[in-house]
Amino acid sequence: MKIDILTLFPQMFESPFDASIIKRAIDKKLLEINTINIRDFSQNKHHTVDDTPFGGGAGMVMGPEPVFECMDYLREQRGGELGRVIMMCPQGEPFSQGYAKELGKEQHLVFLCGHYEGFDERVRETLVTDEISIGDYVLTGGELPAMVVVDAVARMVPGVLGEAASAEEDSFYNGLLEHPHYTKPREYRGQVVPDILLSGHHGNIRKWRRRQSLLRTIERRPELLTQVELTKEDKAALQELLSYLQALDLKK
Ligand code: 4GY
């Protein structure tokens, strides 16, 4: 997968993509991440990229010319075609594991990272295929959100996670929150690992984990359960929890 990131601050992307799993994916050539400084495409004398808004008001707007020029250059570089062009903004479609999965199938992605008041509207209208929000809050620029999306998408690319780890076991992959994890030592400061995990009985361990996932989800994010296909066994487990709570009179 090739990813081009258009930004005024390419240096922001250096260390996040120079560590751990993403670095390994780049080294293995499963992933290529390329940052482009929008300022390099400014044609004016002082290489400015922003200007005051028509109609007045505070803040600066990133003008269309450098972004359009930059996209022309990219399109040429890619033989006339660009993949999806993603703008990071709070007004976008909420990002999700499902969205990451979908983008993980693409060969080429372009990210537009705005700053100040964002881009001139004509950029969005003409160049952008996807607008994504990572949450209901406002950041100073699209760079951190782009990193979030690139990271989540990269780990969906086949081979990026090692053979041992797999995205299919993740939280949200199956629509549920993840079960707890433990490693050695078996006892630490008086806290012990649940016996079942040491039993070697893989069937029971799978059941226990599924149950933990269900319990965590209903406790912390009950709205997620409406989106999940529950098995007979899942429903029985939730039913059991419910009758337990009723017996305790915590729930009517
Ligand atoms: N939240 N999700 C977000 C953001 C910063 C002004 C446009 C978000 O995705 N992006 O807060 N972005 C703004 C800052 C220009 C981007």
Side-chain angles (χ1 to χ4, degrees):
M1 176 184 280
K2 288 199 170 138
I3 299 177
D4 290 305
I5 302 170
L6 277 58
T7 172
L8 291 176
F9 303 98
Q11 72 276 17
M12 285 182 74
F13 292 87
E14 281 166 22
S15 64
F17 295 149
D18 193 34
S20 188
I21 293 167
I22 302 297
K23 179 185 169 69
R24 195 182 59 199
I26 293 168
D27 291 344
K28 287 207 287 185
K29 310 233 183 283
L30 297 168
L31 195 65
E32 188 185 310
I33 300 174
N34 187 23
T35 53
I36 300 164
N37 194 334
I38 298 169
R39 195 176 300 282
D40 292 343
F41 290 83
S42 172
Q43 308 275 9
N44 66 50
K45 178 163 88 194
H46 297 289
H47 293 287
T48 60
V49 292
D50 58 343
D51 211 331
T52 54
F54 274 126
M60 298 293 268
V61 177
M62 290 173 71
E65 304 98 320
V67 187
F68 273 80
E69 295 282 334
C70 186
M71 292 291 282
D72 286 346
Y73 162 80
L74 265 184
R75 208 175 292 111
E76 212 169 290
Q77 220 186 31
R78 304 251 174 246
E81 284 279 348
L82 287 180
R84 287 165 83 162
V85 178
I86 300 162
M87 185 154 99
M88 303 307 308
C89 59
Q91 301 79 25
E93 165 105 0
F95 192 53
S96 62
Q97 191 60 47
Y99 211 143
K101 223 184 284 184
E102 185 191 315
L103 293 177
K105 296 177 192 141
E106 301 283 336
Q107 302 272 354
H108 181 219
L109 299 175
V110 179
F111 284 86
L112 294 185
C113 306
H115 239 84
Y116 319 116
E117 299 305 312
F119 293 103
D120 183 285
E121 183 66 6
R122 289 163 288 190
V123 170
R124 191 190 61 73
E125 278 176 0
T126 312
L127 300 175
V128 171
T129 64
D130 294 67
E131 293 173 69
I132 301 182
S133 165
I134 62 159
D136 291 338
Y137 36 79
V138 182
L139 302 169
T140 57
E143 285 78 11
L144 288 167
M147 289 177 213
V148 167
V149 173
V150 168
D151 190 279
V153 170
R155 62 195 292 295
M156 302 310 293
V157 173
V160 167
L161 296 184
E163 284 160 51
S166 125
E168 271 123 74
E169 290 184 15
D170 279 343
S171 200
F172 296 117
Y173 195 95
N174 57 19
L176 297 174
L177 300 183
E178 224 172 280
H179 56 77
H181 300 270
Y182 293 91
T183 185
K184 290 178 272 301
R186 197 189 69 78
E187 186 187 336
Y188 185 67
R189 299 196 179 193
Q191 287 182 287
V192 295
V193 175
D195 279 334
I196 186 136
L197 296 177
L198 307 164
S199 69
H201 193 302
H202 298 294
N204 287 347
I205 291 170
R206 207 174 313 114
K207 271 191 211 161
W208 181 85
R209 285 179 170 161
R210 178 80 185 177
R211 224 180 143 87
Q212 290 292 317
S213 278
L214 285 164
L215 297 186
R216 281 197 163 183
T217 307
I218 202 167
E219 186 173 63
R220 299 178 185 199
R221 300 286 305 279
E223 80 282 7
L224 292 178
L225 280 178
T226 63
Q227 312 290 319
V228 182
E229 248 190 87
L230 297 175
T231 66
K232 250 191 186 153
E233 208 173 349
D234 292 339
K235 287 178 189 161
L238 290 170
Q239 201 62 61
E240 191 185 309
L241 174 74
L242 206 61
S243 24
Y244 175 71
L245 291 174
Q246 268 159 355
L248 284 174
D249 205 23
L250 291 175
K251 195 172 168 102
K252 253 262 146 356

